[in-house]
Structure formats: C-alpha cells, structure tokens
Amino acid sequence: MAKVAVLGYGTVGSGVVHVVDVNKELVAESAGQDVEIKYILDLRDFPGDPHEAQVVHDYDIILNDPEIDVICETMGGLEPAYTFEKKALMKGISVCTSNKELVAAHGPELVAIAKANNCSYLFEASVGGGIPILRTLNTSLRHEKIDQITGILNGTTNYILTKMDKEKAGFAETLKEAQDKGYAERNPEADIEGYDACRKTAILASLVSGEYVSYEDIETTGITAVSQEDFAYARALNMSIKLLGMVKRNDTGFFTMVSPFLLPAEHPLASVNEVFNAIVVHGNMLGNTMYYGKGAGKDATASAVVADMIDLVAHKGQHINVNLTDKPASLSDNGSYVHRFFVRTSDECAEEAREIFGESVEQVTTDEVFGEFAFVTDLISEKDFRDKYEKLSVKKGFLREL
Ligand code: HSE
C-alpha cells in the first residue's frame, strides 16, 4: 500500500482525491499496489467532507511520517509550495505538481534535488491540464528533433475568445464564467495577460531544448486588446483568433512567443474551442502530431496529477529522468521572425498605410465595422513590422497571422 499526501484541498487537490476515490481499482492496478491518501494539507477545515479526517494543518506531520511515499503539491503559487516541495525532495520523497508557476521558476533546481536524493519530480499537469503532453515529449518523442510547438495552452482565455466569437459575449462576463467553472487563476491577470500561457510555453521550450528557458525571456501579449471588431474582421477573413504559445527552432536556437494569432479556419487549432487546449508538435522525422483535451478544470487536471502519482509510486527509490536542466537556452531574437500581420487604422490613413507597408497590402472589409482601413501585410519580419507600424498616425491594433 502506497501512502500519499495532497498539499492544498482546492480545485485541483480535491480533484486528485476524487480521481483516486472514483478510480481506486484502476489506480491500484496501474501503480501495482493500493494507493491511500493519508493526509490532505490545508489551512481550512472541511467539516462533513468524506476526507475530513485526513485534513492536517501542519506540514511537518507529513514530512516526518516515514510512511509517505509521494507528495502531490496542488497549492499553486511560489510560496510556501517551493519550500514544501524542496523539503520533501531533500528527504527523498517524490513530488508531483500542477504548479506551473513554480515549475517555470524553479523546475531545474527541483529536478536536480530529486536526482541527488534518488526520487523524482514530475509536473505533467503544469501544461495542458489533462493532456499527457510532457510524458509524451519525454518518452515517445524523446528521439525526435522537435522543430516546432504551437499550442493553445490556457483554458480561460480560450473560453473567453470562443464566447466572444461565437456568442459575441462581453469580456468581463465571460471571465466571470471561467472563474465560476474553476478554470481561471486566483489572479485572472495571469490568464488574460498571457503569463500562464507564457510559463507553460517556457516549460515546453525547456523540455524540447533540454536547456532552461526562462519565462521572463518570452515575449508575451495577452488577450485584453482583442475586441469584437477584431472578431468581425476575422470572420470576414474566415479565420479564428487564438492565444498561442510558440516554440520554433531556427539556425541559432529558438523563437518563443505568446500572442493572439489569426488562424485560417482549416488549421487544426482553429476549431479548438471553450476550455480545451491543444498542442501541435512537429518532429523532424514524425511530422506533425496534435494533442487535445481539457486544459483546465478540476477532474481533467487532477487526472494528470494522478498519472504522475502512479508513476512515482511505481518507481519508488528511482529517479525518473525529465529533460529539464539549468543550462541557459539560446533564444533567438524574435525580430527576424517572419509572418503576415493584420492591421487596423482609420479610413483617412489608407493612403499613408499603403505608402508605409506597400501597395500589395490586402484590404479587409466587414459590414460590422465602419470608418476603418484594415489590411493584411505581405510576409514581413517582426522588426520591420514594428518599425512600420510605429509610423502609422492612427494605430487601432494588429494581430499576427499564423
Ligand atoms: N488558469 C489555467 C487555464 C488553469 O485557464 O488554463 C490550468 O493551468
């Protein structure tokens, strides 16, 4: 019988307990032994909860119990989660987590501590919610040279963008819905400003490069500037707007970026809606593969934590290798990254825009927006685009095209 402690009885933590309860036999079969949740650490009490008796408030009870094989950290945030995880790993207790903020900030150090103490640090649920993407990259695709990863990595923003597009819903009301459904971060700025997708992109970039990509080095734009007018133009272009995390190999390293993109309707990511995430991975031999599933929410995210828990129980006393090191990655300057841009300016600036961007720009019209000149540029580098965009007298926004 393996004994496990869960840190944090919030959305994901209670989901972990629920998954182990509901799928008890399957979990045992997969782990090779029964798995018992011995402790749940939380500041709160949960009177009437079926697991009320397992709730403790003092982390040392867990740390000093020699029966504990695995700790699942589902508290989120940097502290005290970082200190708790580190203490466990230093004692040789394996840890799994859904805490992308912590993995993005301290993952390499925690993996190294785990290795030095013959235990493991796994974080499947930190990217793509329930989608088994990290295990796939670390096992099935480990022999592939990954050229590109393009993903919808944040459920909350995908939910908001879907509702804005399909139902013409307002931003604030849709964000509230995502919060009510348990998708959004405690501080939803992390979702809507793209920080959460940025951390997940950093984790993916680190795993495919085998080096450490700091989330602070990833150019990140969220969805707060995406408007109903943008969706009207996107419909006219037969395109969708999605917040994408991007990792793209080039001659000198990797481009990385998080940004809203326009995608052609036939692109497989264009039809990924609501809370779903999807990640397209291009391997040099394999070509494209795509992974799809619920990117946020209690049971889906918890299922990924439980998958790690099972792996850790089955590999007790061993270190499971994950390709996360502290060697700094060489990231390329995004200035030379080339694509098309969709640009909005005012009617009066049509001539000016053509002078700056060239006569070949393609005008986009929609009967839902008036008084604007909107157009799609030729292929142009990020740097050239920024230089030209700055010259426009009226800037009403732009979107990148995939
Ligand atoms: N707030 C995150 C999201 C939760 O919306 O994707 C899952 O990481």
Side-chain angles (χ1 to χ4, degrees), residues 98 100 125-129 153-157 182-185 191 196 200 275 277 295-297 301:
S98 54
K100 54 254 157 150
S126 65
V127 179
L153 299 171
N154 183 270
T156 301
T157 46
Y183 302 157
E185 297 302 301
D191 296 298
D196 179 75
K200 293 165 177 169
V275 72
N277 283 192
T301 310

